Amino acid sequence: KSTDEVFYLLFANRHFLVTFNQSLSEYLASGKVEMPAGFLTPRGRLRRQSYIPAWAKKAVYCRDHGRCVLCGRDLTNLLSTDRYAHYDHIVPLNLWGVNDPCNLQLLCDACNLKKSGSVVQSRYAYPPWWPEDGA
């Protein structure tokens, strides 16, 4: 039971994820942490990882139910094969967001392009755990 609660808090509670990642980015931006030069871009921000591990992609995909977090578009390729899943940083790297699975969310290509690298954006609606019609 405790493991389920901790998992929900650290990975599935979107309000917590946004708040935690914004607090972390503010702390990193304050300069109180000395970052190794190899971790930073020429502009002094955190480097983007060259890839996201498969286990992290699977975890984010399952948490977000194969749907775009912002618009709800199906990204499973079961209904349409022309949609691409983007693994987006909730707090962008430009704003000192981190390369951590708790700072990733699933977006469709259109929402990812609209969001840009200077906006912290997520959605706090959760898919229901039971059928909405009561069946």
Side-chain angles (χ1 to χ4, degrees), residues 68 70 84 86 88 107-119 121:
C68 175
L70 299 180
Y84 299 100
H86 292 248
D88 172 66
L107 294 184
C108 67
D109 49 355
C111 287
N112 191 34
L113 291 172
K114 275 190 251 177
K115 182 177 175 260
S116 81
S118 59
V119 177
Q121 186 179 14

PDB file of all heavy atoms in Angstrom, residues 68 70 84 86 88 107-119 121:
ATOM      1  N   CYS A  68      -2.072  12.366 -25.413  1.00  0.00           N
ATOM      2  CA  CYS A  68      -1.456  13.671 -25.211  1.00  0.00           C
ATOM      3  C   CYS A  68      -2.006  14.255 -23.912  1.00  0.00           C
ATOM      4  O   CYS A  68      -3.225  14.304 -23.715  1.00  0.00           O
ATOM      5  CB  CYS A  68      -1.770  14.597 -26.388  1.00  0.00           C
ATOM      6  SG  CYS A  68      -1.166  16.284 -26.163  1.00  0.00           S
ATOM      7  N   LEU A  70      -2.052  17.306 -22.919  1.00  0.00           N
ATOM      8  CA  LEU A  70      -2.727  18.597 -23.066  1.00  0.00           C
ATOM      9  C   LEU A  70      -4.067  18.516 -23.794  1.00  0.00           C
ATOM     10  O   LEU A  70      -5.042  19.097 -23.358  1.00  0.00           O
ATOM     11  CB  LEU A  70      -1.804  19.602 -23.748  1.00  0.00           C
ATOM     12  CG  LEU A  70      -0.507  19.902 -22.988  1.00  0.00           C
ATOM     13  CD1 LEU A  70       0.336  20.917 -23.760  1.00  0.00           C
ATOM     14  CD2 LEU A  70      -0.797  20.390 -21.589  1.00  0.00           C
ATOM     15  N   TYR A  84       2.401  11.085 -33.730  1.00  0.00           N
ATOM     16  CA  TYR A  84       3.675  10.760 -33.114  1.00  0.00           C
ATOM     17  C   TYR A  84       3.712  11.256 -31.673  1.00  0.00           C
ATOM     18  O   TYR A  84       3.326  12.385 -31.392  1.00  0.00           O
ATOM     19  CB  TYR A  84       4.829  11.380 -33.901  1.00  0.00           C
ATOM     20  CG  TYR A  84       4.876  10.868 -35.310  1.00  0.00           C
ATOM     21  CD1 TYR A  84       4.349  11.623 -36.355  1.00  0.00           C
ATOM     22  CD2 TYR A  84       5.420   9.619 -35.591  1.00  0.00           C
ATOM     23  CE1 TYR A  84       4.364  11.139 -37.651  1.00  0.00           C
ATOM     24  CE2 TYR A  84       5.438   9.130 -36.887  1.00  0.00           C
ATOM     25  CZ  TYR A  84       4.910   9.898 -37.904  1.00  0.00           C
ATOM     26  OH  TYR A  84       4.929   9.408 -39.183  1.00  0.00           O
ATOM     27  N   HIS A  86       5.554  12.607 -28.453  1.00  0.00           N
ATOM     28  CA  HIS A  86       6.725  13.391 -28.095  1.00  0.00           C
ATOM     29  C   HIS A  86       6.874  13.323 -26.578  1.00  0.00           C
ATOM     30  O   HIS A  86       5.902  13.503 -25.849  1.00  0.00           O
ATOM     31  CB  HIS A  86       6.566  14.855 -28.511  1.00  0.00           C
ATOM     32  CG  HIS A  86       6.561  15.055 -29.987  1.00  0.00           C
ATOM     33  ND1 HIS A  86       7.576  15.697 -30.634  1.00  0.00           N
ATOM     34  CD2 HIS A  86       5.679  14.701 -30.946  1.00  0.00           C
ATOM     35  CE1 HIS A  86       7.319  15.727 -31.930  1.00  0.00           C
ATOM     36  NE2 HIS A  86       6.165  15.127 -32.143  1.00  0.00           N
ATOM     37  N   ASP A  88       8.014  15.237 -23.709  1.00  0.00           N
ATOM     38  CA  ASP A  88       8.248  16.653 -23.442  1.00  0.00           C
ATOM     39  C   ASP A  88       8.678  16.860 -21.996  1.00  0.00           C
ATOM     40  O   ASP A  88       8.221  16.153 -21.098  1.00  0.00           O
ATOM     41  CB  ASP A  88       6.933  17.401 -23.707  1.00  0.00           C
ATOM     42  CG  ASP A  88       6.975  18.838 -23.279  1.00  0.00           C
ATOM     43  OD1 ASP A  88       7.740  19.601 -23.891  1.00  0.00           O
ATOM     44  OD2 ASP A  88       6.251  19.203 -22.332  1.00  0.00           O
ATOM     45  N   LEU A 107       3.194  14.206 -25.162  1.00  0.00           N
ATOM     46  CA  LEU A 107       2.448  15.208 -25.933  1.00  0.00           C
ATOM     47  C   LEU A 107       2.377  14.770 -27.391  1.00  0.00           C
ATOM     48  O   LEU A 107       3.255  14.059 -27.883  1.00  0.00           O
ATOM     49  CB  LEU A 107       3.135  16.576 -25.887  1.00  0.00           C
ATOM     50  CG  LEU A 107       3.224  17.303 -24.560  1.00  0.00           C
ATOM     51  CD1 LEU A 107       3.844  18.680 -24.764  1.00  0.00           C
ATOM     52  CD2 LEU A 107       1.891  17.419 -23.867  1.00  0.00           C
ATOM     53  N   CYS A 108       1.336  15.231 -28.079  1.00  0.00           N
ATOM     54  CA  CYS A 108       1.274  15.037 -29.532  1.00  0.00           C
ATOM     55  C   CYS A 108       2.183  16.078 -30.173  1.00  0.00           C
ATOM     56  O   CYS A 108       2.621  17.030 -29.518  1.00  0.00           O
ATOM     57  CB  CYS A 108      -0.166  15.175 -30.032  1.00  0.00           C
ATOM     58  SG  CYS A 108      -0.872  16.834 -29.890  1.00  0.00           S
ATOM     59  N   ASP A 109       2.469  15.922 -31.452  1.00  0.00           N
ATOM     60  CA  ASP A 109       3.383  16.853 -32.117  1.00  0.00           C
ATOM     61  C   ASP A 109       2.846  18.283 -32.110  1.00  0.00           C
ATOM     62  O   ASP A 109       3.592  19.229 -31.879  1.00  0.00           O
ATOM     63  CB  ASP A 109       3.752  16.389 -33.518  1.00  0.00           C
ATOM     64  CG  ASP A 109       2.563  15.997 -34.369  1.00  0.00           C
ATOM     65  OD1 ASP A 109       1.422  15.982 -33.866  1.00  0.00           O
ATOM     66  OD2 ASP A 109       2.771  15.687 -35.551  1.00  0.00           O
ATOM     67  N   ALA A 110       1.551  18.460 -32.328  1.00  0.00           N
ATOM     68  CA  ALA A 110       0.980  19.822 -32.374  1.00  0.00           C
ATOM     69  C   ALA A 110       1.109  20.525 -31.020  1.00  0.00           C
ATOM     70  O   ALA A 110       1.519  21.686 -30.954  1.00  0.00           O
ATOM     71  CB  ALA A 110      -0.479  19.763 -32.814  1.00  0.00           C
ATOM     72  N   CYS A 111       0.774  19.834 -29.940  1.00  0.00           N
ATOM     73  CA  CYS A 111       0.860  20.445 -28.609  1.00  0.00           C
ATOM     74  C   CYS A 111       2.310  20.702 -28.207  1.00  0.00           C
ATOM     75  O   CYS A 111       2.609  21.713 -27.571  1.00  0.00           O
ATOM     76  CB  CYS A 111       0.165  19.568 -27.564  1.00  0.00           C
ATOM     77  SG  CYS A 111      -1.641  19.609 -27.690  1.00  0.00           S
ATOM     78  N   ASN A 112       3.199  19.812 -28.596  1.00  0.00           N
ATOM     79  CA  ASN A 112       4.605  19.995 -28.270  1.00  0.00           C
ATOM     80  C   ASN A 112       5.156  21.237 -28.969  1.00  0.00           C
ATOM     81  O   ASN A 112       5.884  22.020 -28.370  1.00  0.00           O
ATOM     82  CB  ASN A 112       5.408  18.758 -28.658  1.00  0.00           C
ATOM     83  CG  ASN A 112       6.810  18.779 -28.103  1.00  0.00           C
ATOM     84  OD1 ASN A 112       7.043  19.275 -27.023  1.00  0.00           O
ATOM     85  ND2 ASN A 112       7.736  18.228 -28.856  1.00  0.00           N
ATOM     86  N   LEU A 113       4.786  21.449 -30.223  1.00  0.00           N
ATOM     87  CA  LEU A 113       5.258  22.631 -30.951  1.00  0.00           C
ATOM     88  C   LEU A 113       4.654  23.912 -30.374  1.00  0.00           C
ATOM     89  O   LEU A 113       5.327  24.943 -30.306  1.00  0.00           O
ATOM     90  CB  LEU A 113       4.932  22.506 -32.436  1.00  0.00           C
ATOM     91  CG  LEU A 113       5.734  21.434 -33.182  1.00  0.00           C
ATOM     92  CD1 LEU A 113       5.199  21.264 -34.605  1.00  0.00           C
ATOM     93  CD2 LEU A 113       7.207  21.781 -33.199  1.00  0.00           C
ATOM     94  N   LYS A 114       3.394  23.855 -29.942  1.00  0.00           N
ATOM     95  CA  LYS A 114       2.744  25.036 -29.354  1.00  0.00           C
ATOM     96  C   LYS A 114       3.352  25.398 -28.008  1.00  0.00           C
ATOM     97  O   LYS A 114       3.461  26.563 -27.668  1.00  0.00           O
ATOM     98  CB  LYS A 114       1.243  24.788 -29.162  1.00  0.00           C
ATOM     99  CG  LYS A 114       0.417  25.066 -30.381  1.00  0.00           C
ATOM    100  CD  LYS A 114      -1.042  25.035 -30.009  1.00  0.00           C
ATOM    101  CE  LYS A 114      -1.650  23.794 -30.621  1.00  0.00           C
ATOM    102  NZ  LYS A 114      -3.051  23.595 -30.281  1.00  0.00           N
ATOM    103  N   LYS A 115       3.714  24.378 -27.235  1.00  0.00           N
ATOM    104  CA  LYS A 115       4.199  24.615 -25.874  1.00  0.00           C
ATOM    105  C   LYS A 115       5.507  25.388 -25.871  1.00  0.00           C
ATOM    106  O   LYS A 115       5.691  26.278 -25.058  1.00  0.00           O
ATOM    107  CB  LYS A 115       4.374  23.281 -25.134  1.00  0.00           C
ATOM    108  CG  LYS A 115       4.833  23.459 -23.710  1.00  0.00           C
ATOM    109  CD  LYS A 115       4.919  22.138 -23.006  1.00  0.00           C
ATOM    110  CE  LYS A 115       5.484  22.343 -21.627  1.00  0.00           C
ATOM    111  NZ  LYS A 115       6.873  22.044 -21.496  1.00  0.00           N
ATOM    112  N   SER A 116       6.412  25.069 -26.722  1.00  0.00           N
ATOM    113  CA  SER A 116       7.728  25.705 -26.845  1.00  0.00           C
ATOM    114  C   SER A 116       8.600  25.415 -25.631  1.00  0.00           C
ATOM    115  O   SER A 116       8.165  24.804 -24.661  1.00  0.00           O
ATOM    116  CB  SER A 116       7.618  27.212 -27.095  1.00  0.00           C
ATOM    117  OG  SER A 116       7.395  27.911 -25.898  1.00  0.00           O
ATOM    118  N   GLY A 117       9.807  25.910 -25.677  1.00  0.00           N
ATOM    119  CA  GLY A 117      10.771  25.651 -24.614  1.00  0.00           C
ATOM    120  C   GLY A 117      10.805  26.704 -23.538  1.00  0.00           C
ATOM    121  O   GLY A 117      11.742  26.765 -22.759  1.00  0.00           O
ATOM    122  N   SER A 118       9.794  27.560 -23.493  1.00  0.00           N
ATOM    123  CA  SER A 118       9.809  28.624 -22.487  1.00  0.00           C
ATOM    124  C   SER A 118       8.542  28.650 -21.639  1.00  0.00           C
ATOM    125  O   SER A 118       8.291  29.615 -20.940  1.00  0.00           O
ATOM    126  CB  SER A 118       9.997  29.981 -23.172  1.00  0.00           C
ATOM    127  OG  SER A 118       8.950  30.190 -24.093  1.00  0.00           O
ATOM    128  N   VAL A 119       7.750  27.575 -21.711  1.00  0.00           N
ATOM    129  CA  VAL A 119       6.481  27.523 -20.993  1.00  0.00           C
ATOM    130  C   VAL A 119       6.424  26.262 -20.132  1.00  0.00           C
ATOM    131  O   VAL A 119       6.739  25.176 -20.602  1.00  0.00           O
ATOM    132  CB  VAL A 119       5.291  27.497 -21.989  1.00  0.00           C
ATOM    133  CG1 VAL A 119       3.973  27.368 -21.268  1.00  0.00           C
ATOM    134  CG2 VAL A 119       5.303  28.728 -22.872  1.00  0.00           C
ATOM    135  N   GLN A 121       3.962  23.814 -18.698  1.00  0.00           N
ATOM    136  CA  GLN A 121       2.559  23.509 -18.947  1.00  0.00           C
ATOM    137  C   GLN A 121       2.314  22.022 -18.812  1.00  0.00           C
ATOM    138  O   GLN A 121       3.078  21.198 -19.302  1.00  0.00           O
ATOM    139  CB  GLN A 121       2.163  23.969 -20.348  1.00  0.00           C
ATOM    140  CG  GLN A 121       0.704  23.834 -20.642  1.00  0.00           C
ATOM    141  CD  GLN A 121       0.361  24.341 -22.038  1.00  0.00           C
ATOM    142  OE1 GLN A 121       1.236  24.546 -22.874  1.00  0.00           O
ATOM    143  NE2 GLN A 121      -0.906  24.544 -22.280  1.00  0.00           N
TER     144      GLN A 121
END
